[in-house]
Amino acid sequence: YGWVEQPDAVWLWLEEIVEHVAKPWPLEHCGLVARHLATFSGRYLVDRPVPSFPWLTRGLMRGLVDLYATNLTMLHGLRDHPLVRRGWPDDQLARTERLWDERADFVATLDGLPPTLGHGDATPFNLFAGLSPDGRIQTVAIDWAFTGISAVGEDLATLLRSRTRVATSFEDLDPVIFHGYLEGLRAAGWQGDSRLARIGYATAAALRYGLNLRLVPAIVDDRARTQFEQAVGMALEDILDGFARGCRHALALADEARQLHESVHF
């Protein structure tokens, strides 16, 4: 509705959004949100040209992955630390390092998939269940700072973020949101190979969460640890337990992406 520029900020006057589905979302609503994301992006796979504005984000995953180079070196040197073994149990650290070595190939896979327009940060922190005038549940998205060109399926990966999975497991959430996303693509008129969307989703999720190393400094830095614990509202040990589950699923998606890449030509 309006904005005012301040010396160190911009004030925005926005529509008030009233939530009609409480968080954490039930599984069926996660699927509906995925469908809405795909209906939005699917239009740019069919009959609407992908926009070319210079301010659109490009190569988002490459930039996110490169942020963690220093943290990976730190993690490698801490591999025997009890908290590292807690966050990367069994063979997860070795698999993470393998994914890091292959990161350029994974990013190239995203670059080779059909391009579309994506929100870029479609986490439950930025998505709300609104209500249309005729009483239907709509998805209202805020914070479009990362909006840009992305691969089919890429935007879906962010729905694996914590607020959607509090009441369920990654293994239960994964098929629900992918099925909803595919339904949305079909509703938008896209009739491409569904495996392309799966490759985009699995590849992006692997990079986002298999190589998410933000927690590493908190293992050795008390200030970083305190910041994480205050932000999440949990002890670092419990945060690492949840991270380990998410990382394990992301690494499984990395394995799936490798297999799909060998069997699908694009």
Side-chain angles (χ1 to χ4, degrees):
Y1 294 111
W3 66 89
V4 175
E5 293 191 32
Q6 302 290 342
D8 59 349
V10 176
W11 295 355
L12 301 177
W13 272 255
L14 304 176
E15 175 187 0
E16 181 182 14
I17 303 169
V18 179
E19 284 258 51
H20 289 272
V21 178
K23 291 172 181 170
W25 295 329
L27 269 178
E28 60 270 20
H29 185 70
C30 295
L32 179 63
V33 173
R35 179 186 174 103
H36 290 165
L37 281 176
T39 303
F40 166 73
S41 293
R43 300 168 184 170
Y44 298 92
L45 293 165
V46 182
D47 55 7
R48 185 176 296 186
V50 177
S52 58
F53 302 114
W55 45 263
L56 288 171
T57 300
R58 293 168 175 81
L60 177 62
M61 294 308 305
R62 181 181 292 104
L64 288 176
V65 169
D66 288 345
L67 288 174
Y68 298 124
T70 301
N71 289 5
L72 182 73
T73 300
M74 186 186 305
L75 180 65
H76 186 80
L78 296 169
R79 59 190 316 120
D80 294 324
H81 194 290
L83 290 179
V84 171
R85 291 199 297 267
R86 188 161 185 161
W88 290 265
D90 304 321
D91 64 344
Q92 282 187 205
L93 181 53
R95 294 172 68 194
T96 297
E97 291 174 333
R98 177 192 176 190
L99 179 58
W100 177 263
D101 291 340
E102 297 175 337
R103 66 192 185 282
D105 293 335
F106 274 66
V107 170
T109 293
L110 291 176
D111 291 342
L113 289 166
T116 184
L117 184 68
H119 179 279
D121 195 18
T123 74
F125 298 105
N126 295 329
L127 302 175
F128 303 88
L131 205 63
S132 69
D134 61 358
R136 292 181 297 108
I137 293 294
Q138 296 178 317
T139 298
V140 181
I142 65 170
D143 193 354
W144 293 77
F146 292 107
T147 304
I149 311 306
S150 60
V152 59
E154 183 176 340
D155 226 16
L156 180 62
T158 51
L159 277 187
L160 287 174
R161 282 290 299 273
S162 59
R163 292 300 181 187
T164 60
R165 67 174 188 261
V166 170
T168 187
S169 68
F170 288 103
E171 290 74 18
D172 289 338
L173 179 61
D174 186 302
V176 171
I177 61 174
F178 184 73
H179 178 73
Y181 187 84
L182 196 57
E183 281 189 336
L185 291 179
R186 299 308 188 210
W190 188 69
Q191 299 301 319
D193 188 338
S194 63
R195 294 176 298 176
L196 296 178
R198 186 68 189 182
I199 291 174
Y201 161 66
T203 301
L207 291 172
R208 274 187 177 272
Y209 306 118
L211 295 180
N212 183 351
L213 305 175
R214 290 189 306 138
L215 279 170
V216 175
I219 293 173
V220 293
D221 186 319
D222 289 340
R223 182 179 178 183
R225 175 177 182 144
T226 299
Q227 290 175 340
F228 268 106
E229 291 179 336
Q230 290 177 345
V232 180
M234 299 168 60
L236 180 60
E237 288 79 3
D238 296 327
I239 297 173
L240 285 167
D241 289 342
F243 170 82
R245 291 191 293 271
C247 183
R248 181 170 60 249
H249 187 70
L251 294 171
L253 286 173
D255 292 337
E256 181 182 351
R258 293 182 186 101
Q259 294 173 356
L260 284 169
H261 192 272
E262 292 176 357
S263 62
V264 180
H265 298 286
F266 57 93

